[in-house]
Amino acid sequence: APRRTGRMIVEAFAGQNILITGATGFLGKVILEKLLRSIPDLGLVYLLIRPKKDKSAEQRLKQLISSRIFNRLRGERKDFEEYAWNRLRVINGDVAAENCGISEEDSRHIIENVNIFIHSAATIDFTAPLSDSINLNVLGSLRLFAMAKKCRRLVAFTHISTAYVSCNMRGTIEETLYPLDFDASDVLQEMLNTDPAELDKNEQKIMCGYPNTYTFTKSLTEHLLADKREGVPLVIFRPSIIGAAYKEPTPGWLDTVSAASALYVTAGMGIMKFMLARRPDRIGDQVPVDIVSNALIAATADIAMQNRLNVIHVGTSKNKPLTWEYVKKTIVPYLLRRPPKRTFSKPSFMFVTSDAVYNSLYFFQYRVPIAAYNLYARFLGDDEELRQAQLWASFEKRIRKMVGNFNYFVNHEWIFDTAHTYEVFNKMPPHEQEEFNFDIAKIDWEEYLLAFCYGMKLNILREEDTIYHLEDRNCPMYLRRDLGADFWWAWSGGQGVNEMYKVNPPEKLKSSVLSSQRVQDAIVAESETEGLPVNQIEARAREVIEMMAGTVNMGILRTQGYLFRKFYRYYYQGIFVDELGIRRVAEAAKRGPVILMPTHRSYLDFLLTSFVFYDHDLPVPRIASGDDFLNMFFVSWMFRQSGAFFMRRSFGSDNVYRSIFTEYVQQVVSLGHPLEFFIEGTRSRTGKTLPPKLGVLSMIVDAFLQGGTENISLCPITMNYERLIEEEAHGRELTGEKKEKPTTTALVKATASKLRHLNFGRVNVQFAEPISVEEYVAQFASAESHENPSFDPSNGGKDLWKVVESLGYEVVESFHREMVIMSTALVAALALVHRDGISVDLMADKIGWLREQIVLRGSRVDPIEGTNMEILEHCMPLLDTLLITKRNIIEPNFPAGKFGKIQQLSMYRNNILHVFQRECHVVVCMNALLKDGSSSVSLDALRELHTTLSAMFVSEFVDKKRDQMFMDTLQRMESYGLLKVEGERVSQVLTEYHHEDMWMFLGEMIYPFVDSYWVAAVTLLSMLGKPNGMIERMLVERMQWFAEKHYHKGAIRYCEAGSKEALRNAIKHFSRLGVVLVNESSSIELTADYKDNKDKLMVLVDRLAAIRRVPADPTTYPLLSRM
């Protein structure tokens, strides 16, 4: 049908007065809210409200206006209360009474003024006596319709019926009035002439195959209204099973427990455990209430002023079918992860396909226990136990009634045609299709069903702290031990995995890669260079691809899933997943390949990413793993079978290997396989983010630029651990101990040694906003082309590398934005700031203070529940080997000579450095400049020293924008009350005691790194006059020796200054300054300018000493000449 260009709905309702019945009911409220919110020129709205014993119609209207359903409108209109009272008019009435219980004066007013009738009032009780249903559903509708026909300016009458008026039929139900087997008027008259008691007694015979009085009376009403229409524009509106709101006014809104919501509430509270469904794969036609409301308003507008009858179905069975099995599969896992606070037992639910099995289960699960408890309570129990017995008996009665009501509809299936519905939709202009959307085909059932559960908890169970699932960034994975749950999860999940790799099996990549033009060219070039036959180089290439390539074996994946689920349950208190983020990744995967880029802190990162994706029915990623895993035969075989492929740490000059790996990566991406690699290159032993390694990223960007793959999305992921399994190994490596070569034997030993620690706390997995490679490259190229018109990254070279480098650092920034600060990081940081000891009570207070400071700066902390003291009590067992408590004082556990412990504690502290490091730089510079006793410093001097310090720590703290954000950092610190900028002077303020605490905290976070660089510089004095260089390992060991000696002498406050990583970064800095030179044999020596120039080297040492917290002792320097 042709579209209209105007505003079909808004124009049809403009200035029109409407009368609504049933406005205090679930659907009526939604219709009223939508009319008030989306039709600004609406006339008056008359609400026919039945007074109750304890409330007048006016009081019920006041209660209605205060309903939560109008919260959105309250937020959009500050004058909502005034607007509502001006727009709404209450009519005392009851459709069950003659003339709808309306006074003569109100009747005259309605006849003179009302233009549109929306009749929603009805009894929806399936078990209501037939006599009551006839009076309310049939006669009530006819009474209101008779009044409408008297109206002088009647525009439309919309009667809300149900799609199940034809439930005595099967198959596809069209939008029409099917002939009845009897005359509707005659049957109605006969029933009215029958005694109500007799009528109710014979209702099954009278209803002619209808399952309940509700559907029978609704069907009868439709035919009677059609017979009496006489030119009235009439909509017979048939929704199916109405559920919670999808989008409007808020996702999941509902305020009644009926139909599907009754099933979900009882299942969520652990009351309803099973239901008879002979075929759970049958369609259960559920439709969101806002879809119903929008369709009703549109259908009413469509028929306005037209002499016709239109029957409208609003159901999902034809355009977006939903099965009962899918409902269970979606809702039960959510209820297990986020159970209601008030439950009678663990939420669980299943469909039983056998009547005999169902009856047996029901008898033994409900009837027998409740009857037994009732007998006990009656004869032996106290008053409370008797009350509980009565409560359970009431629940059993409700369950029986609900099962009886639902049974017919769960075990039968209908397809409700929606041709008329879409005719109306297609007449609407695009902006109204968006504002009054009821396009059923676009419903996302998972999103809707989870919104339903959210609304159930928020609005029915009144759990105000309920998190909307699309905004849930800390949703716990369900890992509880249930009989057979691990097996069922492993063997029934992973459908997305199966589908992806069946279409594009990874095994085909081997031959495809070897036959590619890139690899063939590299083989020929290598043959010419080495003077060897081509077939010999090809044989070498086949060995490379065999060693490199991986596959995806569903059996292995399922086995791993089964085992790892048990592993995570035993070792961790919980794994919390960013549901909002993973939905973003899933949406990005629909558009094109996704590249997963997790932070790398533990070997578990490999497993955890795949585990989370498998749990969410997403394809597990192909993982680019280091070839050191090949030393672990069984582990490497398992990895290879579950999607991993292997790469050398360095390609060197092996161009054949480079071409094979590049081609393999690009073909993985072009096939749409999700690819995972660690942009940091290796695990961070220090807890800080490492500078990005750009090799694999450059291959991916190049694949896009060469046109082989479109819509690539980079998905940064942060893995946040309260306690690392490898913490001891990391600590040993940082103290200089040799890294143990990864072997299967070493893995078994390490695992066995950890079995004594069955508590590694919580893990939080966060997903940053996916980065579109196409959009990023386009924006970057546009910005660069202003300065360099010939900029073209598709030609490779420097232009490509410039894009890749910028993109790599953007990923690191995404890490920092999305990292969650775990509680152990807070405790470790505070323990190191107060390393001489801090009382338990003060530590608890400081935890709360530090959490607030982190949130103030826009970062996030792990939302662990409990008081500050409870959080501390939670952390202490996790840090039991690193902290000790004596006489209620907490201090680092630092046995003599065991520097590894303090390195481990520093690793956890460093997890929060990205939040504060810009301020830390300013504090260190301010302290250095204020040492002369002045109260303020020059802004230029501060900026100059800040630039120097920032350049020194360029490898230490990854932050490309630190210098350009210098003034912004000062302004933020000024807003925090730490300093004041006045013209060209900057002064320390610290007006309150907690400002002093923060200033000290910021300094203590970074001073250990200053000491590391000072130690490295002083150690270089030992190389003066030495003709030969020193390999890096030996030089670092010498630096660590010096750090330990001077720590014990008290010349160094921070024993973690001997960290191998920090000392190596210091050497890199000195290399950039031209102080040291790394020659071809990887030997380090002083450059010519410094080799015999002690004074020049002392300038470097003194500059670093000037910014240290502890002043240097020059008398120690001569000792170095003996090293």
Side-chain angles (χ1 to χ4, degrees):
R3 295 176 183 267
R4 296 178 182 174
T5 56
R7 299 183 299 167
M8 182 184 97
I9 295 174
V10 173
E11 290 176 359
F13 279 93
Q16 303 294 343
N17 299 325
I18 305 171
L19 186 145
I20 303 175
T21 68
T24 58
F26 175 47
L27 175 57
K29 287 177 184 174
V30 178
I31 295 170
L32 177 61
E33 192 275 343
K34 183 64 176 178
L35 289 171
L36 293 177
R37 179 163 48 85
S38 297
I39 304 180
D41 298 327
L42 190 67
L44 295 176
V45 180
Y46 297 88
L47 305 178
L48 183 64
I49 298 178
R50 174 173 57 87
K52 290 186 174 181
K53 290 181 180 179
D54 58 339
K55 287 183 182 176
S56 66
E58 289 76 11
Q59 288 173 322
R60 293 189 69 193
L61 174 60
K62 184 177 180 180
Q63 184 181 25
L64 173 62
I65 291 174
S66 64
S67 170
R68 288 185 177 202
I69 193 171
F70 296 110
N71 284 352
R72 174 175 174 179
L73 198 48
R74 285 189 187 91
E76 295 176 1
R77 295 190 65 124
K78 294 182 179 179
D79 64 341
F80 167 72
E81 299 290 333
E82 179 183 358
Y83 169 73
W85 283 108
N86 288 337
R87 191 59 56 93
L88 302 179
R89 297 289 185 272
V90 66
I91 301 290
N92 278 272
D94 182 356
V95 294
E98 288 300 322
N99 197 43
C100 296
I102 302 173
S103 68
E104 290 187 11
E105 181 181 353
D106 285 342
S107 294
R108 287 194 298 271
H109 188 81
I110 290 169
I111 292 169
E112 288 294 325
N113 294 284
V114 173
N115 311 109
I116 297 172
F117 285 74
I118 298 175
H119 179 40
S120 178
T123 175
I124 59 172
D125 185 355
F126 289 0
T127 60
L130 182 57
S131 55
D132 291 348
S133 293
I134 289 171
N135 187 35
L136 189 56
N137 291 351
V138 182
L139 297 180
S141 300
L142 295 178
R143 292 174 188 127
L144 189 69
F145 192 61
M147 180 176 291
K149 290 167 68 175
K150 297 177 184 178
C151 290
R152 297 181 59 185
R153 289 180 291 273
L154 182 64
V155 170
F157 187 100
T158 297
H159 169 72
I160 300 176
S161 183
T162 173
Y164 294 99
V165 291
S166 300
C167 64
N168 57 342
M169 302 172 63
R170 297 292 178 267
T172 299
I173 309 298
E174 296 181 358
E175 293 165 298
T176 186
L177 271 70
Y178 288 98
L180 297 174
D181 296 334
F182 50 84
D183 183 273
S185 297
D186 292 344
V187 168
L188 175 61
Q189 190 59 49
E190 183 181 343
M191 289 189 292
L192 293 175
N193 294 333
T194 304
D195 181 72
E198 187 69 21
L199 187 67
D200 296 339
K201 182 179 178 181
N202 296 307
E203 65 181 26
Q204 290 299 326
K205 182 179 178 180
I206 297 170
M207 288 192 300
C208 303
Y210 283 90
N212 51 58
T213 58
Y214 173 71
T215 54
F216 171 69
T217 53
K218 282 293 187 180
S219 176
L220 192 63
T221 303
E222 287 188 2
H223 286 270
L224 291 168
L225 289 175
D227 290 344
K228 298 176 182 297
R229 189 173 69 84
E230 298 177 356
V232 172
L234 176 62
V235 176
I236 292 179
F237 190 79
R238 296 175 174 172
S240 59
I241 302 172
I242 303 176
Y246 183 29
K247 301 287 187 182
E248 301 180 276
T250 55
W253 186 86
L254 78 161
D255 70 347
T256 185
V257 180
S258 62
S261 62
L263 175 62
Y264 303 157
V265 169
T266 53
M269 296 181 70
I271 300 171
M272 188 75 167
K273 298 289 187 179
F274 47 83
M275 176 174 278
L276 178 64
R278 298 180 186 91
R279 281 185 52 194
D281 60 345
R282 280 195 167 117
I283 295 170
D285 199 311
Q286 301 180 53
V287 61
V289 67
D290 48 335
I291 296 286
V292 174
S293 171
N294 289 340
L296 180 140
I297 293 170
T300 303
D302 174 63
I303 206 171
M305 301 298 293
Q306 298 182 40
N307 179 10
R308 65 187 180 96
L309 164 67
N310 198 10
V311 179
I312 296 288
H313 277 158
V314 182
T316 57
S317 51
K318 181 177 180 180
N319 307 96
K320 193 76 172 183
L322 171 68
T323 67
W324 293 109
E325 184 63 36
Y326 184 87
V327 172
K328 186 200 80 168
K329 180 183 176 182
T330 304
I331 285 180
V332 172
Y334 172 85
L335 293 173
L336 290 171
R337 293 194 302 267
R338 293 286 192 191
K341 294 178 180 177
R342 293 179 295 167
T343 58
F344 288 86
S345 63
K346 188 191 73 176
S348 63
F349 186 80
M350 66 178 179
F351 287 112
V352 180
T353 58
S354 164
D355 290 57
V357 172
Y358 172 79
N359 291 330
S360 298
L361 282 173
Y362 190 89
F363 181 76
F364 288 108
Q365 181 109 15
Y366 292 104
R367 290 289 183 87
V368 172
I370 289 174
Y373 187 66
N374 190 46
L375 285 171
Y376 163 79
R378 183 176 299 179
F379 295 106
L380 301 174
D382 54 25
D383 291 342
E384 176 62 22
E385 288 171 327
L386 184 60
R387 190 187 69 82
Q388 288 289 337
Q390 292 170 346
L391 181 64
W392 274 107
S394 172
F395 279 143
E396 190 275 330
K397 185 177 179 181
R398 292 183 186 181
I399 291 170
R400 195 165 4 110
K401 180 179 179 180
M402 184 177 68
V403 170
N405 290 343
F406 240 65
N407 183 54
Y408 184 85
F409 300 95
V410 171
N411 289 291
H412 294 86
E413 182 178 88
W414 301 266
I415 305 297
F416 298 113
D417 185 48
T418 54
H420 293 177
T421 306
Y422 273 95
E423 283 178 10
V424 174
F425 186 77
N426 290 331
K427 291 177 184 178
M428 296 161 58
H431 64 276
E432 286 198 336
Q433 287 183 343
E434 183 176 345
E435 176 65 24
F436 297 88
N437 180 41
F438 53 95
D439 187 355
I440 296 158
K442 293 184 179 178
I443 297 175
D444 181 328
W445 281 124
E446 181 185 15
E447 179 183 342
Y448 172 67
L449 291 170
L450 296 181
F452 204 137
C453 293
Y454 161 75
M456 172 191 77
K457 293 175 64 181
L458 178 66
N459 299 300
I460 302 300
L461 302 179
R462 297 291 179 173
E463 296 183 7
E464 302 295 340
D465 57 351
T466 300
I467 303 171
Y468 180 44
H469 72 283
L470 288 185
E471 300 170 359
D472 192 347
R473 308 209 63 184
N474 297 282
C475 185
M477 293 182 71
Y478 184 73
L479 298 172
R480 280 179 55 174
R481 174 189 260 171
D482 297 326
L483 183 63
D486 295 340
F487 180 86
W488 179 253
W489 174 87
W491 258 257
S492 64
Q495 298 304 314
V497 187
N498 218 355
E499 293 168 10
M500 164 69 76
Y501 294 120
K502 273 186 177 179
V503 176
N504 294 310
E507 295 81 5
K508 291 184 177 180
L509 281 174
K510 292 181 185 179
S511 58
S512 178
V513 167
L514 289 178
S515 62
S516 67
Q517 190 64 48
R518 184 202 312 268
V519 173
Q520 288 297 312
D521 289 346
I523 288 173
V524 172
E526 188 79 359
S527 173
E528 293 175 353
T529 301
E530 296 191 7
L532 296 173
V534 170
N535 60 357
Q536 193 170 333
I537 306 299
E538 287 178 339
R540 188 195 305 171
R542 283 192 294 272
E543 291 177 4
V544 168
I545 197 69
E546 287 295 333
M547 189 68 71
M548 179 186 299
T551 185
V552 176
N553 184 314
M554 285 303 298
I556 297 296
L557 274 178
R558 296 190 191 284
T559 303
Q560 286 183 0
Y562 174 79
L563 295 173
F564 289 139
R565 186 176 159 101
K566 290 183 178 296
F567 171 84
Y568 290 129
R569 180 167 63 246
Y570 282 114
Y571 275 76
Y572 292 97
Q573 294 179 9
I575 298 174
F576 299 82
V577 179
D578 176 7
E579 292 292 322
L580 168 63
I582 203 164
R583 284 187 70 88
R584 290 173 180 164
V585 174
E587 289 300 317
K590 294 176 183 177
R591 299 189 295 268
V594 292
I595 313 300
L596 309 177
M597 307 169 74
T599 53
H600 202 12
R601 302 292 179 267
S602 169
Y603 282 136
L604 289 181
D605 299 335
F606 291 94
L607 309 175
L608 194 51
T609 308
S610 297
F611 185 76
V612 169
F613 270 58
Y614 188 91
D615 184 65
H616 287 76
D617 269 343
L618 294 172
V620 295
R622 306 295 313 282
I623 306 171
S625 307
D627 63 355
D628 45 359
F629 282 104
L630 295 174
N631 297 318
M632 308 165 71
F633 173 73
F634 180 71
V635 173
S636 64
W637 179 82
M638 290 284 286
F639 272 25
R640 194 188 298 276
Q641 296 296 312
S642 54
F645 59 96
F646 301 93
M647 58 183 290
R648 295 177 187 168
R649 293 294 181 185
S650 174
F651 298 167
S653 58
D654 192 339
N655 291 324
V656 172
Y657 187 94
R658 184 185 302 277
S659 66
I660 292 173
F661 184 79
T662 302
E663 188 67 28
Y664 192 90
V665 167
Q666 294 188 353
Q667 289 202 24
V668 165
V669 174
S670 67
L671 288 175
H673 294 182
L675 172 66
E676 176 185 349
F677 76 97
F678 298 98
I679 197 168
E680 294 173 278
T682 186
R683 290 173 298 159
S684 172
R685 276 73 170 173
T686 62
K688 298 186 282 87
T689 306
L690 302 178
K693 302 292 189 294
L694 304 175
V696 177
L697 182 59
S698 68
M699 298 173 190
I700 293 165
V701 175
D702 186 55
F704 162 72
L705 291 172
Q706 300 310 317
T709 310
E710 298 180 353
N711 299 320
I712 300 175
S713 297
L714 307 182
C715 303
I717 306 171
T718 66
M719 302 292 188
N720 308 280
Y721 300 89
E722 278 195 323
R723 183 178 188 177
L724 286 178
I725 287 181
E726 302 100 322
E727 64 175 21
E728 290 182 20
H730 287 353
R732 288 195 301 269
E733 287 185 46
L734 291 174
T735 58
E737 291 187 30
K738 187 176 180 182
K739 177 185 174 183
E740 188 173 358
K741 190 175 181 180
T743 63
T744 303
T745 303
L747 177 66
V748 171
K749 286 182 179 178
T751 305
S753 69
K754 296 298 177 185
L755 288 176
R756 66 182 185 273
H757 297 301
L758 291 179
N759 179 13
F760 285 88
R762 295 155 59 99
V763 183
N764 198 303
V765 183
Q766 295 291 309
F767 295 83
E769 182 79 38
I771 302 169
S772 167
V773 172
E774 181 178 6
E775 293 176 7
Y776 191 91
V777 170
Q779 292 172 5
F780 189 90
S782 175
E784 284 293 317
S785 61
H786 292 300
E787 298 181 6
N788 180 11
S790 62
F791 182 81
D792 184 4
S794 62
N795 291 331
K798 293 182 179 179
D799 289 350
L800 171 62
W801 197 251
K802 201 170 185 179
V803 173
V804 171
E805 184 181 39
S806 175
L807 190 50
Y809 280 95
E810 179 63 29
V811 170
V812 172
E813 282 191 34
S814 295
F815 288 161
H816 291 163
R817 286 193 296 269
E818 299 302 329
M819 282 179 176
V820 171
I821 308 302
M822 307 304 283
S823 300
T824 48
L826 305 177
V827 174
L830 291 167
L832 287 174
V833 168
H834 303 275
R835 61 183 65 205
D836 295 327
I838 178 172
S839 71
V840 171
D841 291 339
L842 183 56
M843 173 68 89
D845 291 341
K846 291 286 186 181
I847 287 172
W849 167 78
L850 186 52
R851 285 168 67 93
E852 291 173 359
Q853 294 297 320
I854 290 169
V855 172
L856 179 64
R857 287 157 175 80
S859 293
R860 292 186 294 143
V861 293
D862 183 36
I864 184 171
E865 296 180 354
T867 64
N868 293 330
M869 183 60 73
E870 288 170 339
I871 293 174
L872 177 59
E873 290 170 352
H874 163 81
C875 291
M876 289 305 289
L878 299 172
L879 301 173
D880 58 348
T881 63
L882 308 180
L883 297 175
I884 55 175
T885 305
K886 293 180 179 179
R887 297 182 179 85
N888 211 40
I889 300 295
I890 298 173
E891 57 183 337
N893 180 19
F894 186 25
K898 298 290 185 180
F899 288 89
K901 297 290 185 183
I902 211 75
Q903 297 294 356
Q904 293 173 46
L905 205 57
S906 301
M907 175 185 67
Y908 292 119
R909 174 203 60 196
N910 293 345
N911 286 331
I912 70 173
L913 267 171
H914 65 278
V915 179
F916 299 104
Q917 55 91 12
R918 289 179 182 174
E919 295 172 58
C920 292
H921 280 71
V922 172
V923 166
V924 168
C925 294
M926 286 284 290
N927 286 346
L929 295 171
L930 289 170
K931 282 182 178 178
D932 60 1
S934 58
S935 59
S936 65
V937 303
S938 160
L939 179 61
D940 288 339
L942 180 62
R943 180 185 284 109
E944 181 181 358
L945 184 55
H946 180 275
T947 302
T948 301
L949 190 65
S950 182
M952 182 173 83
F953 286 145
V954 70
S955 298
E956 204 69 59
F957 309 110
V958 184
D959 184 1
K960 280 284 189 179
K961 299 178 181 178
R962 185 164 47 239
D963 285 339
Q964 69 185 70
M965 298 297 289
F966 171 70
M967 289 304 300
D968 179 77
T969 302
L970 294 186
Q971 290 169 8
R972 283 178 175 271
M973 295 179 71
E974 189 171 17
S975 70
Y976 300 148
L978 299 176
L979 49 76
K980 190 170 185 61
V981 181
E982 294 179 302
E984 294 300 313
R985 304 293 296 179
V986 182
S987 55
Q988 189 183 37
V989 182
L990 310 184
T991 55
E992 299 181 23
Y993 76 92
H994 62 267
H995 294 155
E996 295 181 11
D997 287 350
M998 176 51 69
W999 193 272
M1000 182 184 75
F1001 177 85
L1002 293 171
E1004 289 294 306
M1005 291 287 285
I1006 201 171
Y1007 276 128
F1009 298 95
V1010 176
D1011 270 9
S1012 292
Y1013 283 60
W1014 175 79
V1015 164
V1018 172
T1019 308
L1020 293 181
L1021 292 170
S1022 68
M1023 301 177 69
L1024 285 168
K1026 304 291 176 63
N1028 299 320
M1030 185 180 297
I1031 62 173
E1032 182 186 85
R1033 178 181 59 80
M1034 293 182 65
L1035 180 58
V1036 170
E1037 287 176 355
R1038 180 173 290 189
M1039 292 173 175
Q1040 289 182 309
W1041 174 86
F1042 180 80
E1044 290 177 18
K1045 288 291 183 184
H1046 284 72
Y1047 171 75
H1048 290 305
K1049 285 186 173 184
I1052 295 177
R1053 172 176 169 78
Y1054 311 100
C1055 60
E1056 63 265 38
S1059 166
K1060 182 174 74 172
E1061 285 296 317
L1063 296 172
R1064 291 174 66 185
N1065 286 333
I1067 293 172
K1068 291 178 185 177
H1069 172 63
F1070 298 148
S1071 176
R1072 289 191 296 269
L1073 289 179
V1075 177
V1076 299
L1077 176 69
V1078 182
N1079 57 35
E1080 293 180 359
S1081 61
S1082 299
S1083 176
I1084 297 173
E1085 57 184 76
L1086 292 174
T1087 59
D1089 290 342
Y1090 287 86
K1091 183 171 290 188
D1092 296 310
N1093 193 335
K1094 179 181 178 180
D1095 292 339
K1096 193 169 185 179
L1097 194 54
M1098 282 301 301
V1099 170
L1100 173 65
V1101 172
D1102 291 340
R1103 282 179 183 170
L1104 288 167
I1107 58 176
R1108 294 181 65 223
R1109 179 184 173 187
V1110 178
D1113 180 8
T1115 62
T1116 63
Y1117 300 160
L1119 298 174
L1120 294 167
S1121 63
R1122 298 197 299 272
M1123 287 200 300

